[in-house]
Amino acid sequence: MGKGLFKIGMTGLLLTGIPGQWLFATPIPASPFVVVPPGGPDKCLSCHGWRQPDPTPRTLKKPHDTIVLTHWPQPGPWCGQCHDLKQPRRLFLYNDQSVDFREGYRLCGQCHGAKVTDWMFGAHGKRVTDWRGPRKIQACRVCHDPHQPQTKPVVPSAPPAPPGTSREWNPVVPPTHTLATSP
Amino acid sequence: MESGGAANSYAGHLPMSPDPLSPHGHRRRTLLRGLAAVAGAASATAAAVETEGPSSWADALDRLLQQHFVRMSASEVQQALRRIEREALRQHRIHLQCDATQPLDQVRFAQALNLAVCKGSRRCVEACVRENNCGRGGALENIRVLSLMGMTTELEQANPYFNPPLVPEPGQRYLPISCQQCDHPPCVQACPVTATWKEPDGIVVIDYDWCIGCRYCSVACPYGARHFNWSQPHIPADDYQPITDYLGNRPRIGGVMEKCTFCLQRTRKGLLPACLEACPTGARIFGNLLDPSSEIRYVLEHKSVFRLKEELGTSPGFWYFTG
């Protein structure tokens, strides 16, 4: 009796449950978004705009000695596994498709698919400027250095003053005064 | 201030308790207000050179006799806003712009916070203090970041005063707490003068000019999210946020309560709250609960979320999640 019920239950679950959700669920499309890249000058193009990179695996020297690849277990891949060495600012996907840096999230999504889905829908990452209208979301590499993706420790801002005391106003971040003007 | 005129569109939004002002009281206020206006006009020539309009004592009398914000007419609201701007110029030497932004239609604000992503940097606290013109002594901060050891969820064991050289510390988790913008806010029920109420867009606000500083709301709030200005907040003149709102970040006086308002001076204009803008890790998610395509709705529908002290029946508009 018990075994029969178990079989019926498992059959029902398989027919209507887990595979049913996977096969027939219609995912909500993410609303359109604009990817905001990190600010600052484009360091790559200052050299590789005119000079082909050396594809030989080697110990990196200046100015590349700051690039430390901790993302993969060592010995890891060489630059050419992700970077399109013939076209600066383009990346390779596993299907040999070349994509622009602006679509770097597609490279990340090859392994971190669930996280990138969250990022597309707004549960991960950071939206900037406004909470309505066209979505502007920061690119993965704004927070995560692609070569060392773990976020680095930071100095915390000052703690609150205990009751009955006060402290000096010594902010970590200088004032920016992003005024509440109407967009 | 003149009475009458077009009714303030806020009228009717206040969850009405018995009107503290009788019709007789209203007539008396109108009479006193007229006298104040006459006195103000008489002293206009002797007013301070750098400010136009009534003198400081006429403004003070005007503030004393001012109506509750919800019952003010549109012209009375405008006069109150100009008075606030004059007082800021006179007392703090700053040129403020004070507005009374209306709640947006079909908008219900809510926030969610990813505990797995928060690193305890307190950048949100810093930005909140700046944006909302809070006192700079560290005694009044609308966001409190708690440090929790390991997997404990005992808030009594949390440490809000953590100050290591670098964060995150190994084994620590961080839980920022601010006003939870409850659907059934105990603070609103506790206020004896109806100086605090919930707006249609979900934000619990305070009329600082109507608050009597009894601190009942602070006692009633189970989240410790209401703070009392024991003295006039001290803010450097060059660090003032000059775009202000009557119910938001306008300069407060000593002896009144204040709280997080989801930066309504920003959010009602479409901008993100200051804490979201400052968060270096993107741990906070903000949006309109009524919009099915909003990020906040995605989080509520796809993540395991919880709310603080749900068993109290406050129904907060602030969710936490991990992952």
Side-chain angles (χ1 to χ4, degrees):
Chain A
M1 179 69 184
K3 264 189 178 176
L5 278 176
F6 178 75
K7 274 186 180 174
I8 292 168
M10 286 305 291
T11 312
L13 188 69
L14 288 170
L15 287 176
T16 61
I18 300 163
Q21 284 178 18
W22 182 69
L23 286 172
F24 306 117
T26 49
I28 314 159
S31 44
F33 55 84
V34 175
V35 180
V36 180
D42 192 329
K43 291 178 191 170
C44 308
L45 279 179
S46 59
C47 289
H48 294 303
W50 55 274
R51 181 180 174 178
Q52 284 295 316
D54 178 5
T56 317
R58 65 194 186 282
T59 305
L60 291 172
K61 293 179 183 170
K62 277 188 178 179
H64 291 136
D65 57 341
T66 53
I67 299 173
V68 181
L69 194 67
T70 60
H71 196 168
W72 286 40
Q74 299 300 321
W78 183 241
C79 310
Q81 184 144 354
C82 295
H83 291 271
D84 185 343
L85 298 180
K86 290 179 182 168
Q87 301 180 74
R89 304 197 60 75
R90 289 191 79 82
L91 300 162
F92 270 135
L93 304 183
Y94 284 147
N95 61 1
D96 281 345
Q97 190 187 349
S98 175
V99 294
D100 191 83
F101 263 25
R102 282 172 297 182
E103 291 183 282
Y105 60 89
R106 292 176 65 187
L107 185 75
C108 308
Q110 295 177 130
C111 296
H112 307 282
K115 201 55 83 182
V116 170
T117 306
D118 276 350
W119 172 82
M120 282 182 176
F121 285 91
H124 183 85
K126 187 170 174 180
R127 182 173 179 159
V128 294
T129 312
D130 46 24
W131 57 266
R132 61 180 175 184
R135 296 171 61 217
K136 292 179 195 161
I137 48 180
Q138 286 184 341
C140 308
R141 62 198 168 101
V142 174
C143 298
H144 303 282
D145 178 348
H147 307 113
Q148 296 172 284
Q150 197 168 24
T151 52
K152 292 174 181 60
V154 293
V155 177
S157 299
T165 63
S166 67
R167 62 163 165 76
E168 289 291 310
W169 171 242
N170 192 16
V172 175
V173 179
T176 50
H177 276 312
T178 47
L179 302 181
T181 47
S182 189
Chain B
M1 277 191 172
E2 67 184 51
S3 61
N8 181 6
S9 60
Y10 275 87
H13 290 159
L14 188 64
M16 283 298 166
S17 59
D19 192 342
L21 296 176
S22 68
H24 296 292
H26 191 272
R27 280 207 299 273
R28 191 179 70 240
R29 277 184 178 248
T30 309
L31 174 68
L32 289 171
R33 208 174 291 128
L35 288 173
V38 171
S43 63
T45 50
V49 176
E50 66 266 21
T51 57
E52 294 176 3
S55 63
S56 58
W57 69 267
D59 274 346
L61 187 63
D62 203 27
R63 174 151 42 84
L64 183 71
L65 302 172
Q66 182 178 296
Q67 256 296 0
H68 189 291
F69 181 70
V70 172
R71 288 190 285 274
M72 275 196 248
S73 68
S75 59
E76 284 175 327
V77 168
Q78 285 305 315
Q79 289 195 29
L81 299 178
R82 300 295 84 76
R83 172 183 59 74
I84 290 163
E85 290 170 357
R86 278 197 305 275
E87 285 180 338
L89 183 57
R90 194 180 291 126
Q91 294 171 14
H92 310 294
R93 307 281 176 203
I94 47 166
H95 291 274
L96 286 188
Q97 175 192 323
C98 192
D99 302 316
T101 324
Q102 302 285 316
L104 300 168
D105 281 339
Q106 291 299 306
V107 169
R108 183 85 169 181
F109 289 126
Q111 198 173 140
L113 197 147
N114 190 346
L115 293 173
V117 173
C118 178
K119 304 295 180 196
S121 68
R122 290 204 193 91
R123 297 295 185 271
C124 53
V125 180
E126 217 171 78
C128 171
V129 166
R130 274 207 178 98
E131 170 64 32
N132 290 293
N133 292 326
C134 299
R136 297 296 198 265
L140 196 156
E141 290 170 350
N142 289 328
I143 304 173
R144 183 149 290 207
V145 183
L146 304 181
S147 171
L148 295 158
M149 176 59 89
M151 298 303 288
T152 181
T153 53
E154 292 295 326
L155 298 185
E156 292 84 0
Q157 295 172 16
N159 174 22
Y161 302 109
F162 68 94
N163 194 23
L166 293 172
V167 286
E169 288 181 290
Q172 295 285 337
R173 290 182 302 120
Y174 302 95
L175 179 80
I177 296 183
S178 55
C179 176
Q180 305 286 301
Q181 314 291 358
C182 308
D183 277 351
H184 310 295
C187 52
V188 168
Q189 294 170 33
C191 181
V193 295
T194 333
T196 181
W197 66 94
K198 191 170 177 69
E199 292 272 278
D201 56 3
I203 302 173
V204 178
V205 294
I206 302 173
D207 183 347
Y208 307 114
D209 289 337
W210 204 257
C211 175
I212 59 172
C214 68
R215 309 196 297 281
Y216 286 8
C217 57
S218 178
V219 176
C221 175
Y223 305 103
R226 285 182 166 253
H227 306 280
F228 185 64
N229 283 288
W230 289 95
S231 59
Q232 174 86 32
H234 169 69
I235 304 162
D238 60 348
D239 209 12
Y240 248 100
Q241 165 58 276
I243 309 293
T244 64
D245 196 279
Y246 186 94
L247 298 172
N249 60 341
R250 69 179 163 112
R252 274 81 69 186
I253 56 170
V256 298
M257 300 302 300
E258 67 176 82
K259 62 181 285 297
C260 162
T261 60
F262 275 170
C263 290
L264 61 83
Q265 69 280 358
R266 297 171 59 89
T267 49
R268 286 181 177 175
K269 293 172 183 168
L271 298 174
L272 288 164
C275 53
L276 267 91
E277 199 172 81
C279 181
T281 60
R284 293 169 180 267
I285 288 119
F286 180 83
N288 178 12
L289 273 185
L290 305 181
D291 177 5
S293 64
S294 65
E295 288 97 338
I296 187 84
R297 281 285 290 270
Y298 178 82
V299 168
L300 298 189
E301 289 165 12
H302 293 87
K303 297 289 175 185
S304 295
V305 295
F306 72 93
R307 296 185 283 186
L308 286 181
K309 301 187 180 179
E310 263 192 304
E311 69 279 7
L312 299 179
T314 52
S315 189
F318 200 115
W319 282 266
Y320 294 90
F321 70 104
T322 54

